[in-house]
């Protein structure tokens, strides 16, 4: 437990009518609280100034550029290499620790962006943090984006990245599958796809604020509408409509929340208390436990969607918890 981080391992998730024990973390240092509040105000102002949804080609291009800028500003940490390459026509990149590490273990990272934005530049923020804290190599890939490439393009590209790792000689149990937001959705969908094909599954899943329900039925869409500084229901609806137009959004290949998790590996979920996708995590946590799958969910109080990307002490602590979870594997 961190000295300046309050922690209650017996707290219940009573939001949305769920009653599941989960650890909750909140920042007690006044200076760090002030930094978090200031960053949230900036995020709110950016959201207010922008169009609420990628409804036009101009807005979609703006969102894609902004995510690339975010990734480039957060360049790889010292002691890491960033190695882009072409994976059978798909942009991909390795993040490798330059210090001594175990190259037999690897993370396959699925980036977020609502399936309509995101890139290698965006991926390297979290990929670098994870590689730095765990000593694992991380493979990032730039799947095709909607609306130009709707479902199942991203799913097929994720399977291509998985098969590439298998071709390199990794066993499935050497791989940790990780994703944020829509990338968390993609990580779950890929695991369902592998399981249904009777293939070996990854050793663990790590999900940052995963988007699990494309029906948008979570109560947190209303409960957190005013507190979420980065996402809106309109945005989520627009990205869903771009990725899966006219499809059955309850299909587990789109909304893994409604899937059967038989045989799944242990899962770790981190979510911010202020985000409209909170219930996407909490309901997934509930369903995994109900189906007998080990799942550890952490709620980080007063934080937002995929807060781990931002330069906050809480972000560093959260990534440290992920490293602890992964280093328990072997």
């Amino acid at each position: 437990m961190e000295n300046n981080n309050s922690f209650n391992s017996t707290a219940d998730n009573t939001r949305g009518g769920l009653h599941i024990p989960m650890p909750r973390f909140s920042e007690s240092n006044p200076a760090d609280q002030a930094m978090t509040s200031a960053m949230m105000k900036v995020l709110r102002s950016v959201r207010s100034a922008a169009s609420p949804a990628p409804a036009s080609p101009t807005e979609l291009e703006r969102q894609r550029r902004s995510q690339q800028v975010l990734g480039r500003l957060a360049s790889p940490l010292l002691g890491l290499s960033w190695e882009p390459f072409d994976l059978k026509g798909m942009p991909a990149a390795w993040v490798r620790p330059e210090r001594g590490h175990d190259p037999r273990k690897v993370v396959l990272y699925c980036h977020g962006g609502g399936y309509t934005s995101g890139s290698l530049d965006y991926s390297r923020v979290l990929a670098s943090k994870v590689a730095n804290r765990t000593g694992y190599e991380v493979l990032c890939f730039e799947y095709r984006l909607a609306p130009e490439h709707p479902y199942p393009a991203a799913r097929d590209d994720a399977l291509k990245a998985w098969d590439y790792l298998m071709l390199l000689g990794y066993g499935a149990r050497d791989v940790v599958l990780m994703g944020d937001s829509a990338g968390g959705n993609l990580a779950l969908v890929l695991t369902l796809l592998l399981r249904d094909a009777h293939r070996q599954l990854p050793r663990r899943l790590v999900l940052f604020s995963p988007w699990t329900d494309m029906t948008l039925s979570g109560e947190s869409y209303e409960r957190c509408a005013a507190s979420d500084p980065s996402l809106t229901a309109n945005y989520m609806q627009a990205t869903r409509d771009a990725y899966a137009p006219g499809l059955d959004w309850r299909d587990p290949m789109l909304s893994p929340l409604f899937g059967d998790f038989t045989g799944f590996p242990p899962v770790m979920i981190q979510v911010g208390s202020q985000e409209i996708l909170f219930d996407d995590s909490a309901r997934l946590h509930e369903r995994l436990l109900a189906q007998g799958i080990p799942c550890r969910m952490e709620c980080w109080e007063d934080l937002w969607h995929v807060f781990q990307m931002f330069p906050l002490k809480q972000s560093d602590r959260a990534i440290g918890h992920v490293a602890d979870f992964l280093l328990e594997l072997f």
Side-chain angles (χ1 to χ4, degrees), residues 29-319:
N29 184 293
D32 293 335
Q33 288 177 344
M35 173 67 75
T36 300
S37 297
M39 190 164 293
M40 185 173 285
K41 288 180 181 178
V42 171
L43 288 171
R44 279 205 180 95
S45 66
V46 170
R47 189 189 77 173
S48 298
S51 172
S56 69
T58 300
E59 173 58 21
L60 185 60
E61 181 59 28
R62 186 199 67 79
Q63 290 183 6
R64 290 175 178 177
R65 285 199 308 269
S66 68
Q67 288 200 340
Q68 287 180 329
V69 169
L70 176 61
R72 290 169 182 168
L73 289 175
S75 57
L77 302 171
L78 292 176
L80 299 172
S81 65
W82 173 253
E83 304 171 15
F85 69 100
D86 180 86
L87 199 173
K88 297 182 179 179
M90 180 172 66
W94 284 101
V95 181
R96 302 185 195 269
E98 294 176 345
R99 67 181 187 276
H101 64 285
D102 186 352
R104 296 171 297 176
K105 307 297 185 292
V106 65
V107 174
L108 179 59
Y109 173 64
C110 307
H111 70 74
Y115 284 118
T116 61
S117 61
S119 64
L120 288 183
D121 287 326
Y122 178 79
S123 298
R124 73 176 172 178
V125 180
L126 274 176
S128 296
K129 289 186 175 186
V130 170
N132 184 62
R133 291 300 295 266
T134 63
Y136 292 173
E137 297 182 352
V138 181
L139 176 63
C140 308
F141 62 100
E142 190 173 299
Y143 54 81
R144 290 167 291 170
L145 299 175
E148 299 93 333
H149 304 282
Y151 173 86
R155 185 197 70 181
D156 293 347
D157 289 346
L159 183 59
K160 180 193 290 188
W162 177 269
D163 288 342
Y164 173 72
L165 288 177
M166 299 302 102
L167 183 64
L168 289 181
Y170 291 101
R173 290 180 63 82
D174 299 324
V175 182
V176 174
L177 191 52
M178 184 177 297
D180 72 275
S181 192
N185 180 297
L186 187 56
L188 288 163
V189 166
L190 177 58
T191 307
L192 287 170
L193 192 67
L194 293 169
R195 194 274 316 276
D196 292 348
H198 306 289
R199 297 181 61 178
Q200 294 296 312
L201 302 186
R203 183 81 175 224
R204 293 289 192 275
L205 289 175
V206 176
L207 309 173
F208 303 104
S209 301
W211 184 19
T212 68
D213 176 15
M214 287 196 181
T215 72
L216 313 183
S217 62
E219 293 181 9
S220 53
Y221 274 91
E222 293 186 6
R223 187 178 66 249
C224 298
S227 63
D228 192 321
S230 58
L231 295 180
T232 67
N234 285 344
Y235 171 81
M236 299 307 301
Q237 180 177 343
T239 54
R240 174 197 67 184
D241 293 350
Y243 179 62
L247 300 183
D248 178 6
W249 295 317
R250 286 187 62 88
D251 185 336
M253 288 290 108
L254 300 172
S255 297
L257 176 66
F258 305 118
D260 172 11
F261 301 111
T262 300
F264 261 50
V267 180
M268 182 176 194
I269 305 170
Q270 291 182 341
V271 65
S273 67
Q274 302 299 314
E275 56 178 297
I276 60 175
L277 290 186
F278 182 90
D279 283 358
D280 280 51
S281 288
R283 293 163 73 199
L284 175 66
H285 182 219
E286 179 184 46
R287 289 180 62 86
L288 286 166
L289 293 178
Q291 294 184 32
I293 306 303
C295 182
R296 180 185 305 175
M297 177 172 167
E298 296 182 351
C299 173
W300 289 76
E301 298 288 356
D302 303 319
L303 293 176
W304 51 84
H305 190 64
V306 198
F307 67 89
Q308 297 88 345
M309 293 187 68
F310 294 83
L312 301 168
K313 288 188 177 180
Q314 297 98 312
S315 301
D316 293 339
R317 295 186 187 111
I319 296 297

